[in-house]
Amino acid sequence: MMKPFIRKAVLVLALFSVAYVINGQGNVARKTEINSPAKPFKVLTNGKQITIQSKQNLKSLLVWTSSGHRIVEEKDLKSNSYSFTVPAKEKVIFMMIETAERKRFTEKMGVK
């Protein structure tokens, strides 16, 4: 007599919990899209050659590998473009770009 009631109760609880989880996950993606600022620069790649072009002047640029070795460290650039070549072994690099307005942007890039 109690078994059908318990089965129905478990089924109803499972459906409500699934609906709650689905509803809770929906807003996360929208918040990250709204809060991410537009980047005032473009990163152009041609094999191991990387070029950064910006609408504003760049103040500083720091590029390092996934193992922590610094490839490029430039301060007081005062230009809107910079090019460099990545060493042959590296597959993943990280960049920190600071504009003249003191806004910092970081990027993770894969290199062929």
Side-chain angles (χ1 to χ4, degrees), residues 39-61:
K39 296 177 183 172
F41 61 89
K42 290 182 183 179
V43 179
L44 308 171
T45 59
N46 185 9
K48 297 281 184 177
Q49 181 73 26
I50 296 178
T51 303
I52 301 168
Q53 293 180 344
S54 175
K55 297 176 184 176
Q56 307 168 359
N57 281 344
L58 300 174
K59 183 178 179 190
S60 65
L61 173 67

Short mmCIF file of all heavy atoms in Angstrom, two decimals, residues 39-61:
data_model
loop_
_atom_site.label_atom_id
_atom_site.label_comp_id
_atom_site.label_asym_id
_atom_site.label_seq_id
_atom_site.Cartn_x
_atom_site.Cartn_y
_atom_site.Cartn_z
N LYS A 39 37.20 44.44 -26.02
CA LYS A 39 38.65 44.62 -26.05
C LYS A 39 39.00 45.64 -27.13
O LYS A 39 38.55 45.50 -28.27
CB LYS A 39 39.33 43.30 -26.31
CG LYS A 39 39.09 42.31 -25.20
CD LYS A 39 39.71 40.99 -25.50
CE LYS A 39 39.37 40.03 -24.38
NZ LYS A 39 39.77 38.68 -24.68
N PRO A 40 39.84 46.63 -26.79
CA PRO A 40 40.18 47.66 -27.78
C PRO A 40 41.37 47.27 -28.65
O PRO A 40 42.08 48.13 -29.16
CB PRO A 40 40.53 48.86 -26.89
CG PRO A 40 41.08 48.24 -25.66
CD PRO A 40 40.31 46.97 -25.46
N PHE A 41 41.63 45.98 -28.81
CA PHE A 41 42.76 45.54 -29.62
C PHE A 41 42.42 44.25 -30.34
O PHE A 41 41.46 43.57 -30.01
CB PHE A 41 44.01 45.32 -28.75
CG PHE A 41 43.82 44.27 -27.68
CD1 PHE A 41 44.09 42.95 -27.94
CD2 PHE A 41 43.37 44.62 -26.42
CE1 PHE A 41 43.92 41.98 -26.98
CE2 PHE A 41 43.19 43.66 -25.44
CZ PHE A 41 43.47 42.33 -25.73
N LYS A 42 43.24 43.93 -31.35
CA LYS A 42 43.11 42.68 -32.09
C LYS A 42 44.44 41.95 -32.01
O LYS A 42 45.50 42.57 -32.04
CB LYS A 42 42.79 42.95 -33.56
CG LYS A 42 41.43 43.49 -33.82
CD LYS A 42 41.22 43.66 -35.31
CE LYS A 42 39.87 44.28 -35.60
NZ LYS A 42 39.67 44.48 -37.03
N VAL A 43 44.37 40.64 -31.92
CA VAL A 43 45.56 39.81 -31.94
C VAL A 43 45.56 39.05 -33.24
O VAL A 43 44.67 38.24 -33.51
CB VAL A 43 45.60 38.85 -30.73
CG1 VAL A 43 46.84 37.98 -30.79
CG2 VAL A 43 45.55 39.62 -29.43
N LEU A 44 46.55 39.31 -34.09
CA LEU A 44 46.67 38.66 -35.39
C LEU A 44 47.82 37.66 -35.33
O LEU A 44 48.90 37.98 -34.82
CB LEU A 44 46.93 39.70 -36.48
CG LEU A 44 45.94 40.87 -36.53
CD1 LEU A 44 46.44 41.93 -37.48
CD2 LEU A 44 44.58 40.38 -36.93
N THR A 45 47.57 36.45 -35.82
CA THR A 45 48.61 35.43 -35.79
C THR A 45 48.91 34.95 -37.20
O THR A 45 48.04 34.88 -38.05
CB THR A 45 48.19 34.22 -34.94
OG1 THR A 45 47.00 33.68 -35.48
CG2 THR A 45 47.96 34.63 -33.50
N ASN A 46 50.17 34.63 -37.42
CA ASN A 46 50.62 34.03 -38.68
C ASN A 46 51.69 33.02 -38.30
O ASN A 46 52.88 33.34 -38.28
CB ASN A 46 51.15 35.10 -39.63
CG ASN A 46 51.50 34.52 -40.97
OD1 ASN A 46 51.20 33.38 -41.27
ND2 ASN A 46 52.16 35.33 -41.80
N GLY A 47 51.26 31.80 -37.94
CA GLY A 47 52.21 30.80 -37.46
C GLY A 47 52.71 31.20 -36.08
O GLY A 47 51.94 31.36 -35.14
N LYS A 48 54.02 31.37 -35.95
CA LYS A 48 54.62 31.78 -34.67
C LYS A 48 54.74 33.29 -34.55
O LYS A 48 55.11 33.81 -33.50
CB LYS A 48 56.03 31.17 -34.53
CG LYS A 48 56.03 29.66 -34.51
CD LYS A 48 55.63 29.16 -33.16
CE LYS A 48 55.73 27.64 -33.09
NZ LYS A 48 55.42 27.14 -31.78
N GLN A 49 54.42 34.03 -35.60
CA GLN A 49 54.47 35.50 -35.59
C GLN A 49 53.15 36.03 -35.06
O GLN A 49 52.08 35.71 -35.58
CB GLN A 49 54.72 36.02 -37.00
CG GLN A 49 54.82 37.52 -37.12
CD GLN A 49 56.12 38.06 -36.57
OE1 GLN A 49 57.12 37.38 -36.54
NE2 GLN A 49 56.09 39.29 -36.12
N ILE A 50 53.19 36.86 -34.03
CA ILE A 50 51.99 37.44 -33.43
C ILE A 50 52.08 38.96 -33.50
O ILE A 50 53.11 39.53 -33.15
CB ILE A 50 51.82 36.97 -31.98
CG1 ILE A 50 51.62 35.46 -31.96
CG2 ILE A 50 50.66 37.69 -31.30
CD1 ILE A 50 51.48 34.87 -30.60
N THR A 51 51.00 39.58 -33.94
CA THR A 51 50.92 41.04 -34.03
C THR A 51 49.72 41.51 -33.23
O THR A 51 48.63 40.96 -33.35
CB THR A 51 50.77 41.49 -35.49
OG1 THR A 51 51.87 40.97 -36.24
CG2 THR A 51 50.75 43.00 -35.59
N ILE A 52 49.92 42.54 -32.42
CA ILE A 52 48.85 43.14 -31.64
C ILE A 52 48.59 44.53 -32.20
O ILE A 52 49.51 45.35 -32.27
CB ILE A 52 49.23 43.23 -30.15
CG1 ILE A 52 49.52 41.83 -29.62
CG2 ILE A 52 48.12 43.90 -29.36
CD1 ILE A 52 50.17 41.82 -28.28
N GLN A 53 47.36 44.77 -32.63
CA GLN A 53 46.97 46.07 -33.15
C GLN A 53 45.88 46.64 -32.26
O GLN A 53 44.93 45.95 -31.91
CB GLN A 53 46.46 45.97 -34.58
CG GLN A 53 47.52 45.58 -35.56
CD GLN A 53 46.98 45.48 -36.97
OE1 GLN A 53 45.77 45.41 -37.18
NE2 GLN A 53 47.87 45.47 -37.94
N SER A 54 46.02 47.91 -31.90
CA SER A 54 45.09 48.53 -30.98
C SER A 54 44.59 49.86 -31.52
O SER A 54 45.29 50.53 -32.28
CB SER A 54 45.77 48.73 -29.62
OG SER A 54 44.93 49.41 -28.74
N LYS A 55 43.39 50.23 -31.09
CA LYS A 55 42.86 51.55 -31.43
C LYS A 55 43.51 52.61 -30.56
O LYS A 55 43.65 53.76 -30.97
CB LYS A 55 41.35 51.57 -31.23
CG LYS A 55 40.60 50.62 -32.13
CD LYS A 55 39.14 50.60 -31.82
CE LYS A 55 38.42 49.57 -32.66
NZ LYS A 55 37.00 49.47 -32.31
N GLN A 56 43.90 52.23 -29.35
CA GLN A 56 44.56 53.15 -28.41
C GLN A 56 46.05 52.82 -28.36
O GLN A 56 46.47 51.76 -28.79
CB GLN A 56 43.97 52.99 -27.02
CG GLN A 56 42.48 53.09 -26.94
CD GLN A 56 41.94 52.64 -25.60
OE1 GLN A 56 42.69 52.22 -24.73
NE2 GLN A 56 40.63 52.69 -25.44
N ASN A 57 46.83 53.72 -27.82
CA ASN A 57 48.24 53.43 -27.62
C ASN A 57 48.40 52.38 -26.53
O ASN A 57 47.69 52.39 -25.53
CB ASN A 57 49.01 54.69 -27.24
CG ASN A 57 49.31 55.55 -28.44
OD1 ASN A 57 49.22 55.09 -29.58
ND2 ASN A 57 49.69 56.78 -28.20
N LEU A 58 49.34 51.50 -26.74
CA LEU A 58 49.66 50.49 -25.74
C LEU A 58 50.69 51.05 -24.78
O LEU A 58 51.64 51.71 -25.19
CB LEU A 58 50.21 49.23 -26.41
CG LEU A 58 49.30 48.54 -27.41
CD1 LEU A 58 50.05 47.41 -28.10
CD2 LEU A 58 48.06 48.02 -26.73
N LYS A 59 50.49 50.79 -23.51
CA LYS A 59 51.44 51.26 -22.51
C LYS A 59 52.47 50.18 -22.18
O LYS A 59 53.66 50.45 -22.15
CB LYS A 59 50.71 51.68 -21.24
CG LYS A 59 51.64 52.24 -20.19
CD LYS A 59 50.89 52.70 -18.98
CE LYS A 59 51.91 53.22 -17.97
NZ LYS A 59 51.31 53.47 -16.69
N SER A 60 51.99 48.95 -21.95
CA SER A 60 52.92 47.87 -21.64
C SER A 60 52.38 46.55 -22.17
O SER A 60 51.19 46.39 -22.39
CB SER A 60 53.17 47.78 -20.14
OG SER A 60 52.00 47.41 -19.47
N LEU A 61 53.31 45.61 -22.35
CA LEU A 61 52.97 44.29 -22.86
C LEU A 61 53.85 43.27 -22.16
O LEU A 61 55.06 43.45 -22.05
CB LEU A 61 53.21 44.23 -24.37
CG LEU A 61 53.06 42.87 -25.04
CD1 LEU A 61 51.62 42.41 -25.00
CD2 LEU A 61 53.56 42.94 -26.46
#
